[in-house]
Amino acid sequence: MKAQAPKQSSYDVVIIGGAIMGASAAWFLTDDKDFDGSVLVVDRDLTYENTSTMHTNSCMRQQFSGELNVRISQFAADFVKNLPRYMGNDDRVPELSIRSFGYMYLADNNDFADVLRESQKTQMAAGAATQLMTAAEIKAAYPFYNVEDIVLGSINLVDEGLWDATAVFDWWRKSARERGVEYIENEVVAITKNAAGTKVDSVTLKSGEVVACGQVLNASGPRATRTSEMAGIKVPVEPRKRFSWIFSAEQPLDQDLPLTIDPSGVHVRENGGGTYQCGGHSDIDPAVDYDDFGMDFSIWESHVWPILATRIPQFEAIKVQSEWAGHYAYNTFDHNAILGPHTEVENFFFLNGFSGHGLQQSPAMGRGTAEIMVHGAYKTLDMSQFHFDRIPAGRKIIEKAVI
């Protein structure tokens, strides 16, 4: 498609990246009664074909070790289940639900079992319904598992499982456009700051237009570093390749399969109709080129399938129906979100580094980003622990439940 030119030469907010995070932030800006500015969303490909958004498990969980991450997912659950209300009671907006088959974390050693126990305390204190299960209890509830090596399991069957992320994504974009947000297929190739280097004055598009802006939001997913570097800023985010497979089973399970996180790191979930979705990556996990979506076909045969067949013996006879490689926007610093303004370039904001749990965090992250950009402070959940300033300060967030 030919690059689209913006309708104006100046916008109050320019959002670089229009996938799930950029779409959430754009919509929440329009939903803030104190914001009446203009918003431009620039994305290289408005089909979003190769975005992390389109290569996702489309699941949410509350099983995090940090309280704020738990509460972020609780808001996501409420947002999804009450989408029409959040969308202003628009009768075109569909009623959505969460298929709460839960996440099943399996621990094969005492150290990880202790992590599950400690995390459950945090989750329960925040109001989650996480259950700890012995190997015998897991076997009784889910007879298809091989639990010979399992010490403990953890699962939550309330607001934890599959949801229609595509519907939410579509309605954020549709509603935002109707409220005046402009989306263009183009690419930001340069960012110009003022003489003091304390503020972004404009962005330059690939098609040549120079667009003045009041604020800039980096919502570039795995390309976050490239966007930040244009403003002379370093952010520790890189694309890491993640592989997914959809397969059918000769003997499908007779009950829903929780999103199972095997101790090996391979994960698999119910997909419906006798099919299942599985994900994993190689032991060697380097950063990859932004446009590298090549599939490593050897991983399935040598690593993933043997693990599946061992954990769930009914998966000995399965057939791959589709497979793809996608990218995590991997925060190499501490695997958690990077939000808020830059420490020196005051009108440059981050919405980056979600390391695989961005989709489920997108409602709260978009809302929080809109709040900090409009009000200079958070009105709902205090997201300040995720701010960029923790990185130069060396202040890591320890989240023990990163998949």
Side-chain angles (χ1 to χ4, degrees):
M1 181 184 292
K2 183 180 178 181
Q4 299 166 332
K7 295 177 182 177
Q8 302 171 196
S9 60
S10 177
Y11 294 82
D12 294 294
V13 178
V14 172
I15 299 176
I16 305 173
I20 197 77
M21 287 299 170
S24 177
W27 185 82
F28 275 102
L29 281 169
T30 70
D31 206 50
D32 191 313
K33 61 182 176 57
D34 294 323
F35 179 79
D36 61 358
S38 55
V39 180
L40 175 69
V41 180
V42 183
D43 200 282
R44 299 167 63 252
D45 179 7
L46 292 183
T47 71
Y48 307 101
E49 180 181 2
N50 287 323
T51 60
S52 300
T53 300
M54 292 303 182
H55 291 150
T56 175
N57 256 312
S58 200
C59 285
M60 68 170 66
R61 59 185 164 104
Q62 296 177 36
Q63 291 186 77
F64 288 91
S65 67
E67 180 187 355
L68 182 53
N69 277 331
V70 177
R71 296 196 181 280
I72 285 167
S73 285
Q74 289 173 331
F75 175 65
D78 186 69
F79 190 87
V80 169
K81 293 190 300 181
N82 295 284
L83 185 64
R85 175 171 61 82
Y86 279 104
M87 289 280 174
N89 296 309
D90 186 334
D91 59 13
R92 300 172 299 167
V93 177
E95 295 275 356
L96 301 181
S97 61
I98 301 166
R99 187 172 176 181
S100 293
F101 44 60
Y103 279 57
M104 175 67 82
Y105 283 86
L106 297 173
D108 63 353
N109 61 73
N110 289 325
D111 287 345
F112 188 48
D114 286 342
V115 169
L116 294 180
R117 293 184 183 102
E118 286 301 311
S119 296
Q120 191 221 20
K121 293 176 184 176
T122 299
Q123 294 152 18
M124 296 289 282
T130 308
Q131 310 167 52
L132 297 178
M133 304 178 74
T134 64
E137 289 169 338
I138 295 170
K139 190 69 175 177
Y142 302 97
F144 50 78
Y145 285 128
N146 170 13
V147 294
E148 290 178 1
D149 60 332
I150 297 305
V151 176
L152 191 71
S154 176
I155 193 169
N156 171 19
L157 296 173
V158 178
D159 291 342
E160 189 164 286
L162 186 65
W163 59 289
D164 191 347
T166 300
V168 174
F169 181 42
D170 287 347
W171 273 99
W172 273 337
R173 288 178 292 149
K174 181 178 178 62
S175 176
R177 280 190 170 109
E178 291 176 351
R179 294 173 174 187
V181 172
E182 184 180 343
Y183 276 75
I184 62 169
E185 187 164 283
N186 210 314
E187 184 176 358
V188 173
V189 295
I191 294 175
T192 302
K193 295 183 290 187
N194 63 6
T198 59
K199 188 178 179 183
V200 173
D201 283 341
S202 65
V203 301
T204 301
L205 302 179
K206 191 173 185 178
S207 50
E209 296 87 354
V210 176
V211 180
C213 48
Q215 295 173 311
V216 174
L217 176 62
N218 181 355
S220 305
R223 292 176 177 262
T225 296
R226 179 170 285 184
T227 297
S228 290
E229 284 176 343
M230 287 187 277
I233 296 167
K234 290 187 177 181
V235 63
V237 177
E238 60 188 31
R240 297 283 185 93
K241 197 178 285 190
R242 295 294 181 265
F243 301 97
S244 296
W245 297 265
I246 301 287
F247 64 88
S248 58
E250 187 176 291
Q251 298 180 50
L253 307 179
D254 59 5
Q255 63 189 102
D256 274 354
L257 173 64
L259 196 155
T260 304
I261 299 96
D262 188 80
S264 66
V266 170
H267 50 88
V268 60
R269 68 160 171 83
E270 180 69 35
N271 197 53
T275 67
Y276 305 88
Q277 182 169 336
C278 175
H281 61 87
S282 60
D283 292 335
I284 301 171
D285 188 28
V288 296
D289 185 81
Y290 293 114
D291 296 312
D292 178 6
F293 294 95
M295 193 71 187
D296 183 343
F297 297 100
S298 68
I299 292 177
W300 175 258
E301 292 285 345
S302 64
H303 181 61
V304 174
W305 184 19
I307 288 169
L308 292 177
T310 300
R311 183 62 58 206
I312 303 174
Q314 279 178 246
F315 287 170
E316 177 67 36
I318 55 182
K319 182 179 180 181
V320 173
Q321 296 185 333
S322 61
E323 53 194 342
W324 64 90
H327 289 172
Y328 269 14
Y330 193 83
N331 173 0
T332 60
F333 178 69
D334 65 5
H335 319 304
N336 277 280
I338 303 169
L339 300 185
H342 187 250
T343 48
E344 296 172 6
V345 186
E346 60 188 32
N347 66 338
F348 187 97
F349 289 80
F350 301 89
L351 192 51
N352 305 120
F354 292 93
S355 303
H357 46 270
L359 200 78
Q360 64 192 299
Q361 295 195 327
S362 58
M365 294 297 177
R367 180 182 65 173
T369 295
E371 289 171 354
I372 197 72
M373 293 182 80
V374 174
H375 305 282
Y378 294 108
K379 301 294 185 179
T380 51
L381 289 174
D382 182 356
M383 301 287 205
S384 57
Q385 69 173 266
F386 291 118
H387 277 194
F388 174 85
D389 63 6
R390 79 181 190 275
I391 295 168
R395 192 173 63 246
K396 292 185 179 182
I397 298 171
I398 305 302
E399 173 54 65
K400 299 176 181 178
V402 175
I403 299 175

